[in-house]
């Protein structure tokens, strides 16, 4: 099988054998200081923004954003309250202010975890040092879904209070609140305690206007609709080698390494760890740092290669398994899309890698890594013989420096022309049925810094397959002497099989010929081989014309005929004919299917 430029000529050899035995043969997831939480359901009272009544005899308050229950408690119901920020004053412990603690420097964070079928929120807060002796503590959750607000009390049995550290008159407490499986986009947990000896002040923290007496409120938490605030990942472009951060409005997760790619190889190269937590515009913000190790992906093609010719990069999803809502971030890794074109098109046009590398990927990499540095690239390839054995193009193919297999990122582009020795290598690999892969490596000041995703390079060539042998069996001497026509014994399986690429724009023809001059040629005994209704000779004759894409099978209808032979025949003589098959483009425009 061979390929000639501008012709794409495929040549196969087929042996047709005749054995003479006197005949002729043609042969082919309110108890103080306890670490165990309960699983009781959220309980007693429910309100919504469209109602100001509770399950007890409630009355409306003077504020449209509060509801007064029979107990006299005013809870937020039509909007979230401003969060109650606790403070711990260095050098003056008695000045500590009651409230919730979100402080990276001192390690105070709101956390979320799941135990069995219940979701828990861990909340650090400062309150009176003997707060656990109060019998008037009430808990409440405010919920927002879309533009609708609602709320319900949380049973004290669903809250565990644990003292973490004693100060002079106050203490640091950790609450473990079981919120069950409530459904809301966002929530806020509120605590009421008017115990004169152990409870809260009438005004606390930032709520000093007295809107909600004796009530402290957490920051707002993203719940069933967690938001990703990271602009670097919002564009969907992801590459390895540079750390980035992800910020969301959910509490901190308790696992050390969170965030998983749905691709195991990317998982092996990346980690996501808690970085910090703060409050922005009354809402919690939890940040994770995503780190990736480019060396763990260098030289890996299998499992990362894309064959999609319509989409840049390899699709992957980064998932943070938050108990209340799994945050899924769709990403495109690597920025390179697969190359696919026919060999005939490659004869008339070049492959410019600029057309296959996403411009926004290049802009992002150069913007992140290129300031004050020199960014260069080199292209590497491998074949299906050893898919992860990447070799440098410019090292293996040295004849053409103009292809720019190495260069300056964003300025130079590798270009493969029809006459390029690397291009010809790709074609030969395609003809041999092997797959070819390309990947670009990016260097900052000569040091490997990032990679594209590997891609499959599809040089689509038409293929032609014929039987190894056409067997005419044993033909008697009489029939050879007197003449006659005979079908092959393998006629049911004798066929010509072609595969024409979808990208082809030509009509294809198949021609056949035989040598005729071999000593044991069928023609020596006045025999004539007929294929697809055409008599074969030393001059190539067109036996088929193909004007559609895809797989085509044609029965050979092979026959051998004799016109009469009157010379002696040696017993057990084999007569054979080698058939040359040529597949070539016949017209420049491909007919429709």
């Amino acid at each position: 099988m061979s390929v000639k430029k501008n012709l794409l000529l495929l040549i196969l050899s087929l042996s047709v054998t005749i054995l003479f035995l006197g005949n002729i043969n043609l042969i082919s997831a309110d108890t103080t200081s306890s670490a165990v939480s309960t699983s009781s359901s959220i309980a007693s009272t429910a309100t919504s923004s469209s109602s100001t009544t509770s399950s007890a005899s409630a009355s409306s308050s003077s504020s449209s954003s509060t509801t007064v229950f029979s107990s006299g408690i005013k809870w937020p119901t039509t909007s979230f309250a401003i969060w109650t920020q606790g403070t711990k004053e260095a050098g003056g412990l008695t000045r500590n202010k009651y409230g919730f603690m979100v402080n990276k420097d001192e390690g105070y964070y709101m956390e979320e975890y799941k135990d069995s079928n219940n979701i828990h929120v861990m909340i650090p807060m400062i309150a009176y040092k003997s707060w656990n002796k109060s019998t008037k503590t009430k808990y409440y959750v405010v919920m927002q879904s879309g533009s609708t607000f609602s709320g319900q009390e949380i049973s004290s049995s669903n809250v565990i209070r644990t003292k973490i550290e004693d100060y002079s008159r106050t203490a640091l407490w950790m609450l473990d609140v079981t919120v069950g499986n409530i459904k809301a986009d966002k929530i806020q947990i509120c605590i009421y305690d008017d115990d004169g000896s152990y409870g809260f002040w009438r005004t606390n923290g930032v709520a000093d206007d007295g809107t909600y007496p004796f009530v402290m409120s957490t920051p707002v938490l993203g719940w069933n609709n967690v938001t990703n605030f990271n602009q670097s990942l919002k564009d969907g472009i992801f590459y390895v080698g540079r750390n980035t951060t992800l910020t969301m409005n959910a509490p901190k997760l308790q696992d050390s390494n969170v965030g998983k790619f749905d691709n195991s190889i990317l998982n092996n190269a990346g980690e996501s760890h808690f970085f910090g937590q703060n409050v922005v515009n009354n809402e919690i913000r939890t940040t994770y740092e995503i780190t990736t190790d480019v060396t763990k992906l260098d030289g890996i093609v299998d499992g990362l290669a894309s064959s999609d010719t319509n989409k840049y990069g390899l699709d992957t999803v980064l998932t943070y398994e938050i108990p209340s809502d799994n945050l899924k971030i769709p990403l495109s890794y690597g920025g390179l899309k697969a190359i696919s074109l026919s060999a005939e098109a490659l004869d008339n046009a070049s492959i410019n890698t600029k057309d296959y590398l996403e411009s926004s990927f290049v802009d992002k990499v150069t913007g992140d890594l290129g300031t004050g540095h020199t960014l260069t690239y080199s292209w590497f390839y491998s074949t299906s013989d050893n898919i992860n054995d990447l070799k440098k193009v410019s090292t293996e193919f040295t004849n053409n420096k103009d292809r720019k297999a190495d260069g300056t990122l964003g300025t130079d582009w590798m270009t493969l022309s029809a006459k390029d020795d690397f291009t010809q290598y790709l074609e030969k690999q395609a003809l041999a049925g092997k797959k070819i892969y390309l990947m670009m490596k990016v260097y900052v000041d000569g040091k490997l810094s990032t990679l594209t995703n590997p891609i499959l390079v599809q040089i689509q060539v038409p293929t032609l397959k014929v039987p190894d042998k056409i067997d005419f069996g044993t033909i008697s001497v009489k029939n050879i002497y007197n003449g006659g026509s005979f079908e092959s014994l393998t006629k049911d399986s004798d066929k010509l099989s072609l595969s024409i690429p979808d990208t082809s724009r030509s009509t294809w023809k198949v021609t056949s010929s035989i040598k005729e001059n071999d000593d044991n040629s069928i023609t020596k005994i006045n025999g004539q081989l007929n294929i697809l209704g055409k008599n074969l000779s030393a001059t190539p004759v067109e036996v088929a014309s193909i004007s559609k894409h895809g797989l085509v099978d044609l029965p050979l209808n092979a026959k051998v005929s004799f016109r009469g032979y009157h010379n002696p025949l040696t017993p057990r003589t084999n007569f054979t004919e080698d058939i040359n098959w040529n597949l070539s483009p016949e017209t420049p425009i491909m007919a429709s299917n």
Side-chain angles (χ1 to χ4, degrees), residues 238-241 263-270 292-301 304 333 390 439 441 448 451-452 454:
F238 174 71
Y239 67 92
V240 295
N263 183 296
S264 60
I265 300 172
L266 290 178
N267 259 343
N268 183 55
T292 52
D293 185 348
V294 67
T295 64
K296 290 185 177 180
L297 296 183
D298 184 19
I300 296 182
V301 175
L304 291 178
Y333 164 68
L390 285 165
M439 182 171 74
K441 301 183 183 183
L448 179 64
L451 312 160
T452 66

Side-chain angles (χ1 to χ4, degrees), residues 77-196:
T77 60
T78 60
S79 64
F80 291 120
I82 298 175
W83 80 292
T84 311
Q85 182 177 7
T87 58
K88 177 176 175 293
E89 301 291 343
L93 300 181
T94 57
R95 295 170 56 200
N96 293 345
K97 183 180 287 189
Y98 292 176
F100 299 100
M101 303 295 288
V102 178
N103 190 306
K104 175 181 178 181
D105 294 335
E106 298 187 23
Y108 305 141
Y109 313 111
M110 296 187 68
E111 297 183 348
E112 181 178 344
Y113 74 96
K114 191 169 185 178
D115 179 14
S116 185
N117 292 321
N118 291 311
I119 300 175
H120 300 248
V121 177
M122 303 288 290
I123 310 172
M125 61 179 291
I126 288 181
Y128 186 60
K129 64 180 181 179
S130 300
W131 178 41
N132 58 304
K133 295 181 180 180
S134 173
T135 60
K136 295 185 177 182
T137 311
K138 303 291 183 182
Y139 304 93
Y140 190 82
V141 58
V142 186
M143 298 170 284
Q144 179 188 17
S145 294
S147 60
T148 302
F149 283 80
S150 61
Q152 64 187 46
E153 289 189 7
I154 301 173
S155 171
S156 295
S157 63
N158 282 349
V159 181
I160 299 172
R161 290 187 280 194
T162 303
K163 186 186 292 187
I164 303 299
E165 185 177 358
D166 264 318
Y167 304 131
S168 177
R169 296 182 181 180
T170 60
L172 176 66
W173 297 85
M174 180 64 74
L175 302 186
D176 185 329
V177 182
T178 301
V179 293
N181 291 301
I182 59 175
K183 302 299 181 184
D185 294 339
K186 298 179 180 182
I187 69 170
Q188 182 180 54
I189 297 173
C190 303
I191 309 174
Y192 171 88
D193 199 323
D194 67 346
D195 190 299

Side-chain angles (χ1 to χ4, degrees), residues 336 351-354 357 361-362 365-366 374-380 392-395 401-416 438-452:
L336 195 60
I351 298 175
N352 189 332
T353 52
K354 183 178 182 179
L357 194 57
F361 171 84
V362 176
V365 171
T366 54
T374 300
L375 270 63
T376 57
Y377 68 82
S378 290
W379 284 92
F380 291 75
K392 195 172 183 179
V393 174
S394 60
T395 300
K401 303 300 181 181
D402 292 334
R403 80 167 68 94
K404 296 185 178 180
D406 307 310
T408 301
L409 185 66
T411 301
D412 300 323
W413 307 94
M414 182 171 74
T415 303
L416 302 178
L438 281 179
M439 182 171 74
M440 186 181 75
K441 301 183 183 183
V442 178
Y443 304 83
V444 176
D445 300 334
K447 180 180 179 182
L448 179 64
S449 293
T450 193
L451 312 160
T452 66

